[in-house]
Structure formats: structure tokens, C-alpha cells
Amino acid sequence: MFASCRGLYTPSRFTLSEYVKSLDKRDSTSDGVLAGFLDTLHDGLLVKEGEQTFCGVIPITEKYAFAAASCFDFVDGKLDDNTDYKVYLSGTGYEKPVLMDVTSIEARDDYDPSTFANNLAILTIDNTQGTTFSNNIGEPASAWTTVNYIQQSMVQDLSSWNTPDIYSGTSIDSDTCKSASSLYKANSGTLSCNSQTRTSFVDSSCKTPLKFAVGSSGGKFAVVGLYSYSAISGSPEEGFCGDDNTIVSYYTNLYDYVP
């Protein structure tokens, strides 16, 4: 049996930040190949109290970025202001890792940490690099010919990026995705699902899901999803470190959150 989540997924616009209201939905980038797209894509990694985390960061612009709300500490339902968060960015203009302060975190007010429904936050980044950009946020995963799941990580001393690890395809059938998570079953159009994992950079005996999803069709690419949560069968109490566990992971379709 899977350790599963229940809840109501209610995608809609962020309404707390004026800057989000000016965003446009973008359905693709220029022609090319996936490796080239990833070389130029601006993405990032969350650092908590000086330590590399699993949490991926998808910038909207050089100043604002999406991250899973579950990556942050909450106390009595409110974000803990005493935890220090920073972001490393990669992509064109950031060939070497650039560490930047996170100056504000805006979690969705309907995020439910018990179910991972609406598991999304917007970060404000103190970007002093001077490079300006905007990322393409693609249509949901179902609209693309292929969904590519990406693992981005850094070397242990945080001095450089590892080569991105790519898995193309779902690797799992829809019925398994639904049986593993009642949240997905009720909202399969607004989440994507896959069972791929990679070896943890923290503990080689453990596994981690892939961080984000990129849609591709006919040489067009765009970011479509960000890792949200996993359902684990076998020995759920062992989490990602159970040898015989099956891990099914779910990704938030970012398109639903862009006006």
C-alpha cells in the first residue's frame, strides 16, 4: 500500500502579489535540442542554513521564482522568519553558481501542508548579478509530446553544477498514479506523475525524485512542472531510503498559477 495524500487542489492565480498579475503565459521557446535548452535555462537550487537542499527553484524573472511551499519551515501555520534561505541560480549569465539572498517568501494561502494541495510559493530574490531574463512557463504536461524530468544538483562544496540528469517519459501508468495519491486522482489534469528517482547527493543509499519537468514538442521546450510530493509503498517509514520501496512522485503544473 502507498502512503497517500488527500486534499483539494484549487489552481488559480496568485492574488497576493501585484507583479504576478503582469505575467503572460508562454507556451514554448525557440527551436533547438533539450540539452541546449537546459544549458541556457535559468533554474536554481534552494540553500537552507548554508546546506544544499533537494528543492528546485524555477525563476519567473531574475527577481521572482517559484518553489514548493513544503521546502520552507512553518510555525503555527506561518513561515518561520528565523530560517535563513538562499538560492543558487544557473543558466545564461550564471555559468558559475551565484548565491543570492531570498528577501521574501509568499506561500499560497490555500497551501495545505498535510495534503500538499496548492504546494507553491513565490520567492523574491536579491539578484545583484545584473543579468535580466524571463523564463517560459509552458502549458500543462498533458499538452506536450514528451515530458522530460530533470535532476539538477551541485557538487558537495557548492562550487559548480553537476551535469543535469534527464529522464524522458512518464515511466508509470495513470492508474498507478491515481491509486498512489487521492490528491492526484481528484486532480490528474493539474499534476503530472512519474516514478523515476536518482541517487541522493546526501546519502548514496537513498533515492530522490527529479526536481522539475520540461515539456517538448517538435523542437520546442518550456518548463511545465515543479516537484511537489511523493507517495511511497513498501516501508513508508523508511522514506526515500527503503531498498524495496516504490516511489511515485507528483509535479505541480505551473501554468495553472500564471495569469
Side-chain angles (χ1 to χ4, degrees), residues 52 109 140 148 162 190 228:
Q52 177 179 185
D109 56 11
N148 310 277
N162 290 315
T190 50
S228 179

Side-chain angles (χ1 to χ4, degrees), residues 45-53 71-73 79-88 99-105 123 126 158:
L45 189 66
L46 186 70
V47 175
K48 178 180 176 180
E49 299 292 348
E51 297 290 335
Q52 177 179 185
T53 72
C71 293
F72 304 96
D73 292 338
L79 281 164
D80 183 1
D81 293 334
N82 295 317
T83 305
D84 178 54
Y85 297 103
K86 299 183 187 297
V87 168
Y88 275 106
L99 185 63
M100 301 180 184
D101 290 330
V102 175
T103 58
S104 71
I105 303 165
L123 314 183
D126 184 16
L158 304 180

Side-chain angles (χ1 to χ4, degrees), residues 145-159:
T145 303
T146 303
V147 179
N148 310 277
Y149 294 89
I150 315 298
Q151 174 73 308
Q152 177 71 289
S153 63
M154 303 179 72
V155 299
Q156 287 287 4
D157 65 1
L158 304 180
S159 62

Side-chain angles (χ1 to χ4, degrees), residues 14 19 28 33 43 49 76 79 101 115 120 123 155 173 178 200-201 203:
F14 274 84
Y19 60 82
S28 67
V33 296
D43 64 292
E49 299 292 348
D76 297 327
L79 281 164
D101 290 330
T115 67
L120 206 62
L123 314 183
V155 299
D173 63 89
K178 291 177 181 178
S200 169
F201 57 81
D203 184 343

Side-chain angles (χ1 to χ4, degrees), residues 188-205:
S188 58
T190 50
L191 294 162
S192 62
C193 169
N194 123 345
S195 62
Q196 284 293 307
T197 59
R198 294 296 183 265
T199 300
S200 169
F201 57 81
V202 175
D203 184 343
S204 60
S205 66

Side-chain angles (χ1 to χ4, degrees), residues 89-102:
L89 289 185
S90 70
T92 301
Y94 303 90
E95 283 70 22
K96 293 184 177 180
V98 179
L99 185 63
M100 301 180 184
D101 290 330
V102 175

